[in-house]
Amino acid sequence: SAALRTPRVPVWLCSLSGRHGVLFGTDSRLLSDWKSQRTFHLYFYSGRQEQTQTAHLTIDTHSHHWEEAEREGPCSPGKRRSALEMAIRTKWAGATVSWNGTDPFF
């Protein structure tokens, strides 16, 4: 089927440090309209027992590093990023990733 070769929504299979998961979006415009890539939502599911619900991520490709530093606050762990965030940045360099209240786990 052509739909298997050309998905209608963006889907990435992730293998990071020997762990696997699925990163996906629900907005088909993300595949074809660069304007929709400014701020958008992705979802991540690893299937691991400790993950009870799909993580909802907000990706901002036009954020500035000083804005992110202000949000992190003085007690934050600094520049450490999760492996999933670093993988997302291979497609959207410099993007900030908000886990929307979920502790980064992948």
Side-chain angles (χ1 to χ4, degrees), residues 61-100:
T61 61
H62 288 205
S63 60
H64 300 96
H65 62 86
W66 58 84
E67 293 171 350
E68 187 176 22
E70 285 175 13
R71 281 200 308 270
E72 287 181 348
C75 299
S76 71
K79 292 278 183 204
R80 288 196 60 199
R81 300 282 173 256
S82 73
L84 182 60
E85 290 177 51
M86 297 308 291
I88 290 169
R89 287 180 173 194
T90 64
K91 175 146 180 72
W92 294 284
T96 59
V97 178
S98 169
W99 286 71
N100 296 308

Side-chain angles (χ1 to χ4, degrees), residues 1 4-5 9-10 16 20 25 27 32 34 36 43 48 54 62 71 90 93 95 98 101:
S1 167
L4 291 177
R5 290 191 302 272
V9 295
L16 303 166
H20 301 87
D27 186 353
S32 57
W34 64 268
S36 67
Y43 302 89
R48 296 176 65 91
T54 303
H62 288 205
R71 281 200 308 270
T90 64
S98 169

